[in-house]
Structure formats: C-alpha cells, structure tokens
Amino acid sequence: MIVKNIKLTSFRNIDEELIEFSPTVNVIYGRNAQGKTNIVESIYLFARGKSFRAFKDKEMIMFDKSVAYALMEYEKRSETTKIGAEISRSASKAFYKNGNRVQRTADIIGEFRAVLFCPSHLGIISDSPSVRRNFLDVAISQLKPVYIKLMARYNNVMSSRNAILKMEPTEREQYRDTLDFYSSELASLCSDIANARCEYVRKLDKWVKEFFSQMTSGAETPSITYETNAQGVDFDSRESLKNRYATLLSENLEREYKYGATLFGIHKDDLKIEINGKDARLYASQGQQRSLALAMKMAEGEISREHTGEYPVFLLDDVLSELDPTRRAYVLSNINNRQVIITSCEPQHFEASDTSFIYLSEGKKIKCEVRSAECEVENAKFKVGGENE
C-alpha cells in the first residue's frame, strides 16, 4: 500500500498544498510548529476515520476558515483509489471514495491502512490498560471492519445496561427482563471481541519476540498475553467465552447494583507484558519499555502484511528523536520494502539514497531528492544535515 499524494486545503496551518510521496522513505522535515505532524494527521485520518490528536474535528480546520478538505490518492494492490474528507464547523465530517460519499465513517476504515508511531506510544507499556486496549482495537479494526460495529454495539448495550443498574431498586425491578436481555447480548459481544483480540495477541506475541530478540541480540525474552476476567476457558471457542461471561454477569449482579456499573466484560481487559517472566510495567527499564513499544508497532505492520498481503503505510511522527541512537539505527535499518513517512527536525539522520525529503515551513513545502542533498528553501541553501547557509 502506497500513498501517492495528498492535497490539503485549510487543514490546520496548511492553506493549500499538494504533497507527493515516493514509494519508499519520505522525510518531512523543518523546525518545530511548521505543520509536519499536520500532514501525518491528515493521512492517518483515512486509516482511523478520525484524528489521533484532535479532541474535536473542528480543531483540524484552519483558524479563519469554515471547512477543511483532504484528498488523498493511494495505491492498493496496484489499483489507485482517491479518498477524500470534508471537515466542517457546522456539520459532521464526510468521507468520499472515488467521488462518491461514504454513508458512515466506519465504512471507510480498512480501505486504507497505516501504522502510526508517535511519542505518546512509547508509554504504551506503563500507561493505563485503556491505552493497550485502544492499541488492539485500532489495529484489529483496520483488518476486520466488522470489529468496529461489534465495539459500537458493545458500548451501546453496556451504556443501556448501566442505566438500569443505576436505577433505584423499586424502579429497576420493572426492567429485569430488559436487563437480562442486555446481559445476554453483552456476553455474546464479549465472546466475539475477546476471541478477535486473543487471536491478534497471539500473532503480536510472535512478532514482538522476533523484533525484541533482534534488538537485544537474544539476551531477553518478552511475552504478551491477553488478560481478561473470563480466564480459564478456550478463547478459540466463542460458545465457551459467551457462557463464561454470562455466568460472570449473572453471579455478580448484586455487586454491579452497588456500583451502578458493569464490572465484567472486555472493557476491563488488558495485555500482560513480561520480560523474562517479570511484569514489564513494574520491572522493565525505560529503555526496555521503549524497545517493547517499538517492537509492538513493527509487529502491527507485519500482522497487517500477513492478513492483507501487503504492508500498510508506516507513519513515524517525530518518534526517532525520542529514541536513543541504537534503537533509532534499528528502525532505520528495518524500513526497507515499504513506504515510510517520517517527520523530523533532524534530517541528518537520513542518508539512504532512496529517501525523499520534503521541507516544510509555515505550512508550505518544497520537495527535493537526497541524491542532490540540497534544495532551495526560501532563496537559501539548506543542506541536509547542516545549517542554513
């Protein structure tokens, strides 16, 4: 999968630009706050259906504009597709595929696939369980679009069930049959979602072991397993999972009445991550945790390739500056045979002959190839790896 170009209009600080990409390594460089991450954000918008950094869609619109546009052309299995997004201050964002409006945002996810790695992901090991669940949900949804519908249905059912659990005893008795229905529905959805997550985690564990072994020369062995309150059943059997969750929900109903919330289900699950049998959250050094995070992101790309037959686009947003030289060198030596789009303030780290450089200044770009090693920037010479002359 390859992004050929993206045209942005009134997108954050980018007034209007057409940015073209090479099928190999692309480095978007420039000083801080020039719009580098804005380009990555616009590309990832088509993979996830929403921004990875904006709380509200309107944050992606240029300050004095009422609407922003992104139009991206990408190649998938040798077929070129155009996909667009319209982001308005007065209406919900709309997506388009080859000129036709897509009815629901969920229907666009999976059409274009990308792996995003940014500084916040370096804390995935030590962060809360919700961060690791989100990692799984985003990765799986790009491979199995039906997963998005399962999660949406799960959240709706749980919300309705919680509303009954919060009622006064005399009131909720009238809704006992409804509560039983929601409990049964929740158990069924739990089995489907937990099954998909567990299948993904097994693949994740395999690839993380391989990448981590390469980074540490085999000195340490990581392990990633899926942790759920439905332990002790066959995760490959949806029926066993459903029965287990149904039992948990029925046997703990009084506790749930007390807290006014659903206490059992996939919204409580986590990843158990260990190094040499010890909890990585508690005992791993910061360097080990960052290596694990890096391995997990690289594994995400490999799983996508296994599932679809081609690599997704890799988006590395200012993450290399957060890595030490050894880990940075490992990344740079393992990005062949795929398209990578990197933002950086330090272009001197990239010296491969097939690297394309895009210099960004105040939301405007100039593109040059590394073979020339120099490009005109605002009537001055900018040397890759040097200072303005």
Side-chain angles (χ1 to χ4, degrees), residues 78-139:
S78 301
E79 181 179 334
T80 298
T81 300
K82 289 185 177 180
I83 191 169
E86 179 181 335
I87 307 158
S88 173
R89 294 188 186 276
S90 58
S92 300
K93 66 177 176 291
F95 287 98
Y96 298 84
K97 181 182 177 183
N98 292 329
N100 300 313
R101 180 164 181 170
V102 178
Q103 293 302 311
R104 298 177 303 177
T105 298
D107 294 333
I108 207 70
I109 301 174
E111 291 289 328
F112 168 75
R113 298 183 307 281
V115 172
L116 172 71
F117 192 22
C118 59
S120 64
H121 292 147
L122 291 169
I124 191 172
I125 309 302
S126 58
D127 282 345
S128 67
S130 64
V131 173
R132 289 180 287 279
R133 288 196 298 270
N134 183 66
F135 164 79
L136 288 177
D137 293 340
V138 170

Side-chain angles (χ1 to χ4, degrees), residues 200-218:
Y200 189 90
V201 170
R202 280 197 291 262
K203 297 175 182 177
L204 183 71
D205 178 61
K206 180 193 75 170
W207 281 107
V208 167
K209 278 182 167 66
E210 180 171 329
F211 289 127
F212 199 81
S213 177
Q214 292 172 7
M215 282 186 268
T216 64
S217 300

